């Protein structure tokens, strides 16, 4: 039976093929200020110059554009509509960084299934998600979209997301093609400045950056988007070794490789291309199939083929990948994919079930950072002062990159608290502070609509109102943090404390002597040293999406027991960034060298000096460790860990296995979920290895008084690491020797034991 794609390609001329590689903007509006402005997209579709196009229009408009493609373009090839479906479509779920903190692949899958179903019902065929950039610098705004600092947790997130977007095959009416981005290393941008340079060794790339992307490829991801940044001097959009040698040849990826928005044009700004024609040549020969918005291919690929610099066979191969994606989607048979079915779209969008899942996910993503016992709040005969600029800010609940969201469909903390309290609890409300007081900052945050309004009253007047309400209350709940656009693309911060006069508000509330519960909302880790010292409880709620307010109320009143744990460490101060748990041991480790300073009596939670001269613990202002480490999270239960047990301490060869187990008991008064974490350290190796690395985890549910033995099966695969001098020539090795096995509740609360794992006996 003839291949329909072969038949189609034989009928297409070079211009037709190049047109399939073009993804222009759908409107004449400027976005980044870089790309060309497009007018009359309808005529361009008629000429066959559009292979992919951003969705986000009203369904009737998309329907008409697809009709033009199918009925009036040279070969009737349908357009593939794309969209950023990052953490929901119309039903918005918590930010990816928050979802990763559930450590729950099943929950993540369920949220992505809903997102895919809603997006597909609006004709979306490809989602620019998941974003898989390992991120260890809270200054970088796009950490909000990432699964956090750890490659193992990131790989779990990648598998769950890709499989959920594409579940059952992308030809299903409720599935879309998934796109892993940004390949690769974008999360390591210098100083957390978006779009900035990255200088990472192949060793670091393979051991830290690439595992989530490899997991996505292994899960069958249909597309990979290339990063904006340069990688050790070579922009990723022109990085042949990264895209062809590694992704295509070594990993065997045969899906679409797409540029980011105007990234091919930006090769000129990077200084590696003299003009747009040279940029098109560099990007295409590096391996990028589809050009988003730059129009470099449309303008210059035919000329490059005529000059013999680009082979038409390579254009055919790229066009084939675009056509094959459309064929897999079933677009040739069903080009309208839901656009012509209003009833179905209404039936699957923002349903009660979707909202219920959003509420569950938002509650499980929140992390209880601190609690002295003030939480959960009483649900009867009490008065609560609910204050802060985010207590009733509907525009901010969705968080960044919720492009199809509607603010009016979100639930605020005030809504949720009033609904949960009913008539039994009196809720008093005051704004208390602006998110920011600087009009210039407010303008930057309001770029996609007002999210940081500035009250006409002075900060002192607003604080005074909140303090007056606190005087009438039994407990104060302060909802503070960022505006949603403090995080996301092109949103770098160099101060990770609460912006504006919000800390002044907390200081005034603390001075009242009333119990103070702080609910922080943000798209990144915040620096909360003052809050940690003075608040009675801190609940980090991130931005929870459509049901954020109900989820916060569920947690504060104890209707739901907090279970989230951090996917990214919280620094004490911005000066520590980047900070993460999997640090290299360095030549001056705090536990092996150095001297204590006479007269310095500041100690850590283990009773050791926080400052130690001539070691890495040399931060003059205080502890060098994160305030809240990776994996940290409390609940209303108390989980007691028994001693770590190993079934053996001497092992040999590739075929041996080790069982590490620990008994966990719920010693608290309520049922709860605990995330038991396994870490392994390799103290002596041919490369300096991190002190510990996450290797596995188990999420368990325990009733009060219940205990469970949690076991991990460890193989040589868990001991391997990558040795690499070139990106495309890495070796996955394990080296016999001593290994440290650690199990516990976070990357800082661990029990440890050592094993010796020898090489297999050599045969005579």
């Amino acid at each position: 039976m003839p291949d329909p794609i072969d038949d189609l390609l034989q009928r297409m001329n070079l211009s037709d093929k190049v047109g399939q590689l073009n993804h222009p903007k759908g409107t004449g509006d400027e976005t980044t200020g870089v790309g060309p402005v497009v007018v009359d997209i309808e005529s361009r579709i008629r000429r066959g110059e559009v292979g992919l196009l951003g969705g986000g229009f009203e369904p009737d408009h998309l329907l008409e554009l697809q009709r033009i493609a199918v009925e009036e373009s040279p070969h009737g090839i349908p357009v593939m509509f794309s969209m950023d479906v990052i953490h929901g479509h119309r039903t918005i779920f918590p930010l990816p960084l928050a979802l990763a903190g559930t450590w729950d692949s099943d929950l993540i899958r369920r949220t992505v299934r809903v997102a895919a179903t809603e997006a597909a019902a609006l004709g979306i065929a490809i989602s620019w998600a998941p974003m898989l950039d390992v991120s260890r610098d809270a200054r970088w705004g796009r950490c909000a979209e990432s699964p956090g600092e750890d490659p193992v947790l990131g790989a779990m997130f990648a598998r769950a997301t890709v499989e959920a977007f594409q579940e059952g095959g992308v030809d299903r009416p409720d599935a879309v093609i998934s796109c892993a981005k940004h390949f690769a290393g974008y999360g390591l941008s210098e100083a957390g400045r978006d779009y900035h340079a990255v200088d990472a060794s192949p060793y670091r790339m393979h051991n830290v950056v690439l595992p989530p992307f490899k997991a996505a490829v292994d899960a069958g991801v249909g597309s990979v988007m290339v990063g904006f940044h340069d990688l050790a001097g070579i922009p990723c959009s022109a990085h042949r070794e990264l895209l062809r040698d590694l992704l295509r040849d070594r990993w065997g990826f045969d899906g679409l490789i797409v540029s980011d928005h105007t990234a091919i044009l930006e090769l000129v700004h990077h200084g590696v291309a003299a003009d747009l024609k040279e940029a098109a040549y560099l990007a295409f020969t590096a391996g990028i199939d589809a050009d988003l918005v730059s129009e470099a291919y449309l303008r210059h690929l035919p000329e490059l083929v005529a000059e013999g610099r680009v082979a038409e066979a390579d254009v055919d191969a790229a066009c084939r990948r675009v056509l094959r994606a459309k064929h897999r989607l079933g677009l040739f048979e069903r080009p309208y994919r839901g656009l012509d079915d209003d009833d179905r779209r209404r039936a699957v969008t923002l349903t009660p079930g979707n909202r219920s899942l959003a509420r569950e996910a938002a509650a499980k993503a929140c992390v209880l950072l601190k609690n002295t016992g003030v939480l959960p709040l009483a649900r009867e005969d009490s008065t609560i002062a609910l204050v802060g600029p985010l207590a009733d800010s509907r525009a901010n609940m969705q968080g960044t990159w919720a492009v199809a969201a509607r603010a009016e469909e979100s639930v605020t903390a005030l809504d949720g608290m009033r609904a949960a309290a009913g008539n039994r609890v009196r809720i008093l409300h005051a704004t208390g502070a602006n998110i920011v007081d600087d009009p210039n900052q407010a303008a930057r945050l309001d770029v996609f609509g007002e999210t940081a309004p500035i009250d006409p009253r002075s900060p002192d007047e607003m604080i005074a109102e909140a303090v007056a309400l606190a005087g009438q209350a039994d407990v104060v709940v302060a909802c503070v943090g960022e505006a949603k656009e403090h995080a996301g693309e092109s949103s770098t911060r160099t101060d990770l404390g609460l912006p504006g006069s919000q800390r002044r508000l907390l200081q005034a509330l603390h001075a009242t002597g009333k119990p103070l519960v702080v609910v922080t909302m943000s798209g990144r880790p915040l620096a909360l040293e003052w809050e940690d010292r003075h608040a009675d409880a801190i609940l980090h709620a991130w931005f929870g999406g459509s049901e954020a307010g109900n989820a916060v109320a569920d947690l504060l009143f104890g209707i739901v027991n907090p279970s989230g744990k951090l996917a990214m460490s919280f620094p004490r101060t911005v000066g520590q960034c980047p900070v993460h748990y999997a640090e290299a041991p360095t030549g001056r480790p705090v536990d092996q060298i150095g001297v204590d300073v006479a007269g310095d009596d500041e100690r850590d939670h283990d009773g050791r000096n926080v400052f130690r001269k001539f070691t890495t613990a040399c931060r003059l202002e205080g502890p060098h460790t994160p305030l809240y480490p990776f994996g940290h999270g409390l609940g209303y239960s108390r989980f007691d860990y028994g001693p770590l047990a190993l079934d053996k301490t001497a092992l040999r060869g590739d075929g041996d296995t080790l069982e590490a187990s620990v008994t966990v008991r719920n010693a608290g008064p309520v049922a709860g979920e605990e995330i038991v974490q396994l870490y392994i350290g390799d103290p002596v190796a041919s490369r300096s290895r991190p002190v510990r690395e996450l290797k596995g985890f188990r999420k368990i549910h325990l009733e009060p008084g219940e205990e469970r033995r949690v076991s991990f099966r460890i193989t040589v695969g868990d001991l391997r690491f990558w040795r690499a001098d070139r990106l495309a020539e890495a070796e996955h090795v394990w080296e016999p020797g001593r290994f440290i096995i650690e199990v516990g509740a976070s990357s800082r609360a661990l029990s440890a034991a050592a094993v010796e794992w020898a090489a297999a006996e050599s045969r005579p």
Side-chain angles (χ1 to χ4, degrees):
M1 186 174 181
D3 185 336
I5 295 177
D6 281 340
D7 178 66
L8 181 55
L9 274 170
Q10 289 172 7
R11 291 186 281 112
M12 297 170 70
N13 62 32
L14 179 60
S15 294
D16 296 333
K17 298 168 190 174
V18 171
Q20 289 300 303
L21 311 183
N22 188 39
H23 184 308
K25 277 182 54 59
T27 69
D29 300 328
E30 290 194 41
T31 52
T32 66
V34 178
V37 173
V38 174
V39 295
D40 194 10
I41 193 67
E42 292 83 0
S43 293
R44 308 193 70 175
I45 294 173
R46 286 188 182 94
R47 294 195 297 266
E49 296 176 354
V50 179
L52 305 90
L53 187 68
F57 301 106
E58 289 301 314
D60 289 347
H61 185 49
L62 291 180
L63 186 68
E64 174 61 12
L65 294 179
Q66 192 70 292
R67 187 201 63 77
I68 293 170
V70 172
E71 298 181 8
E72 301 181 30
S73 70
H75 299 282
I77 301 172
V79 171
M80 185 158 54
F81 293 118
S82 68
M83 198 172 194
D84 291 278
V85 185
I86 305 299
H87 54 111
H89 183 63
R90 280 282 297 284
T91 305
I92 306 300
F93 299 98
L95 295 168
L97 182 57
L99 272 176
T102 67
W103 301 55
D104 188 333
S105 62
D106 177 68
L107 177 64
I108 293 167
R109 287 173 195 271
R110 287 187 285 138
T111 67
V112 176
R113 274 279 73 238
V114 167
T117 300
E118 291 188 348
L122 195 63
I124 303 304
I126 182 168
S127 168
W128 303 133
M131 194 268 236
L132 299 176
D133 300 303
V134 170
S135 177
R136 296 176 167 181
D137 193 332
R139 294 173 295 184
W140 190 50
R142 299 200 79 167
C143 66
E145 304 166 55
S146 88
E149 72 181 59
D150 185 79
V152 169
L153 195 60
M156 177 276 283
F157 187 88
R159 286 188 295 270
T161 305
V162 169
E163 291 171 357
F165 271 129
Q166 302 182 171
E167 185 175 284
V170 296
D171 59 333
R172 281 181 31 167
D174 61 351
V176 299
I177 289 177
S178 179
C179 179
K181 65 183 188 184
H182 307 83
F183 198 68
Y186 187 32
L188 304 182
S189 61
E190 291 180 0
R193 287 170 56 196
D194 209 354
Y195 319 117
H196 205 18
V198 172
D199 195 351
S201 67
Y203 172 76
R204 192 177 191 196
M205 290 291 290
H206 275 281
N207 287 290
V208 177
V209 170
L210 294 174
F213 289 98
K214 183 60 165 62
V217 170
D218 291 345
V221 71
S223 178
V224 170
M225 180 179 283
V226 183
F228 283 115
H229 59 291
D230 87 62
L231 184 60
I234 305 175
C236 290
S237 299
H239 207 306
R240 185 185 179 97
E241 184 183 9
L242 179 70
L243 304 181
R244 286 196 184 272
D245 299 350
L246 177 66
L247 181 58
R248 285 276 188 232
D249 297 342
R250 181 160 181 146
W251 288 4
F253 176 68
D254 64 353
L256 277 176
I257 299 178
V258 302
S259 79
D260 208 335
H261 192 286
T262 70
I264 294 178
L265 179 155
E266 292 169 40
L267 292 175
V268 176
H269 305 311
H270 276 290
V272 298
D275 52 32
L276 189 62
K277 178 181 175 180
E278 189 66 16
Y281 170 77
L282 290 174
F284 188 79
T285 56
I288 293 179
D289 297 317
D291 172 10
L292 268 66
V293 184
S294 293
E295 306 222 321
Y297 288 1
L298 190 70
R299 299 182 186 191
H300 297 292
L301 266 187
E303 182 183 0
L304 289 166
V305 170
E307 294 171 354
R309 298 181 67 192
V310 168
E312 187 167 356
D314 291 335
V315 177
D316 289 352
C319 181
R320 181 187 297 278
R321 284 187 282 269
V322 174
L323 295 176
R324 187 172 59 196
K326 294 181 179 184
H327 181 71
R328 288 178 58 208
L329 286 159
L331 280 177
F332 290 99
E333 295 79 23
R334 301 181 309 279
Y336 301 112
R337 274 182 64 92
L339 290 171
D340 55 354
D341 192 344
D342 293 342
D343 291 339
R344 179 175 180 274
R345 183 164 54 255
R346 285 191 291 267
V348 301
T349 301
L350 267 176
T351 67
N354 293 358
R355 296 200 75 115
S356 177
L357 178 60
R359 185 170 183 166
E360 176 190 353
K364 289 186 174 180
C366 293
V367 182
L368 184 61
L369 298 174
K370 176 185 178 180
N371 186 22
T372 61
V374 67
L375 292 179
L377 300 174
R379 296 179 65 193
E380 55 186 20
D381 300 327
S382 66
T383 299
I384 298 171
L386 179 63
V387 303
L390 289 162
D392 193 32
S393 180
R394 211 169 301 280
N396 282 297
M397 292 302 98
Q398 305 94 341
T400 186
W401 273 116
V403 296
R406 299 178 183 177
E408 65 270 17
E409 294 168 347
S410 292
V411 178
T412 69
L414 181 60
D415 297 332
M417 294 286 283
R418 283 176 171 166
N423 297 322
R424 297 167 295 175
V425 176
R426 184 179 174 213
I427 306 289
L428 308 176
H429 171 250
T431 303
N434 302 310
I435 295 177
V436 295
D437 298 317
D438 180 350
N440 291 318
Q441 288 191 35
R444 296 164 195 163
L445 298 169
D446 291 344
V447 65
F448 298 125
E450 188 179 67
T451 60
I454 296 180
D455 196 285
R457 297 172 295 172
S458 71
D460 287 343
E461 290 175 299
M462 297 174 72
I463 290 171
E465 180 189 32
V467 168
L469 287 190
Q472 305 173 46
D474 300 300
V475 62
V476 179
V477 176
C479 293
V480 294
E482 299 181 325
K484 70 184 185 72
E485 294 306 323
H486 263 112
E489 186 171 351
S490 194
S491 294
T492 301
R493 290 194 67 194
T494 53
D495 180 356
L496 298 180
L498 297 175
S501 53
Q502 293 183 72
R503 182 161 292 165
R504 283 182 54 208
L505 168 65
L506 295 185
Q507 290 167 341
L509 294 170
H510 172 68
T512 67
K514 296 297 177 75
L516 176 60
V517 175
V518 176
V519 177
T520 46
M521 297 181 182
S522 72
R524 54 160 53 82
L526 298 173
L528 300 171
E529 270 198 308
W530 185 92
E531 291 77 9
D532 181 70
R533 288 195 302 267
H534 296 95
D536 296 286
I538 304 175
L539 178 71
H540 193 69
W542 304 103
F543 286 116
S546 302
E547 290 286 321
N550 282 328
V552 167
D554 288 342
L555 293 166
L556 293 180
F557 283 122
I559 300 166
V560 174
N561 191 352
S563 62
K565 297 206 175 193
L566 296 177
M568 194 171 174
S569 301
F570 275 45
R572 298 173 186 275
T573 174
V574 69
Q576 292 178 280
C577 292
V579 62
H580 57 95
Y581 83 90
E583 294 183 330
T586 82
R588 297 211 168 176
V590 62
D591 57 343
Q592 297 179 32
I593 201 169
V595 296
D596 294 331
V597 176
D600 179 3
D601 60 1
E602 188 176 2
R603 301 288 194 272
D604 65 17
H605 61 284
D606 293 322
R608 299 176 301 185
N609 285 62
V610 302
F611 178 87
R612 196 162 169 82
K613 193 70 173 175
F614 308 118
T615 75
T616 49
C618 56
R619 177 174 168 256
L620 291 169
E621 294 85 0
H624 66 288
T625 54
L627 178 62
Y628 303 116
F630 174 83
H632 170 75
L634 307 174
Y636 301 145
S637 304
R638 191 186 83 237
F639 294 101
D640 292 342
Y641 281 69
L644 174 61
L646 306 179
D647 69 338
K648 61 187 82 168
T649 57
L651 301 98
R652 183 177 295 277
D654 291 20
D656 213 345
T657 61
L658 172 68
E659 183 180 274
S661 58
V662 64
T663 298
V664 182
R665 179 175 181 271
N666 183 352
V670 294
E673 291 181 320
E674 172 67 340
I675 301 164
V676 185
Q677 301 162 42
L678 166 71
Y679 297 83
I680 298 179
D682 186 357
V684 180
S686 60
R687 300 290 187 273
S688 183
R689 305 290 298 127
V691 173
R692 62 183 55 87
E693 293 177 297
L694 181 72
K695 294 296 182 178
F697 53 90
R698 301 279 188 276
K699 190 167 189 176
I700 60 174
H701 177 93
L702 295 177
E703 295 293 324
E706 183 182 2
E707 66 179 33
R708 183 176 304 172
R709 187 176 181 83
V710 179
S711 297
F712 296 93
R713 181 177 178 269
I714 300 167
T715 70
V716 162
D718 298 304
L719 311 181
R720 292 187 184 276
F721 67 95
W722 291 95
R723 281 195 310 225
D725 295 318
R726 293 187 65 246
L727 273 174
E729 296 180 1
E731 183 183 13
H732 207 199
V733 302
W734 80 279
E735 298 171 346
R738 181 170 175 263
F739 297 89
I740 308 301
I741 313 300
E742 298 179 300
V743 176
S746 77
S747 61
R748 192 160 63 193
L750 297 164
S751 296
V755 301
E756 293 288 337
W757 206 310
E761 291 181 345
S762 59
R763 297 180 181 273

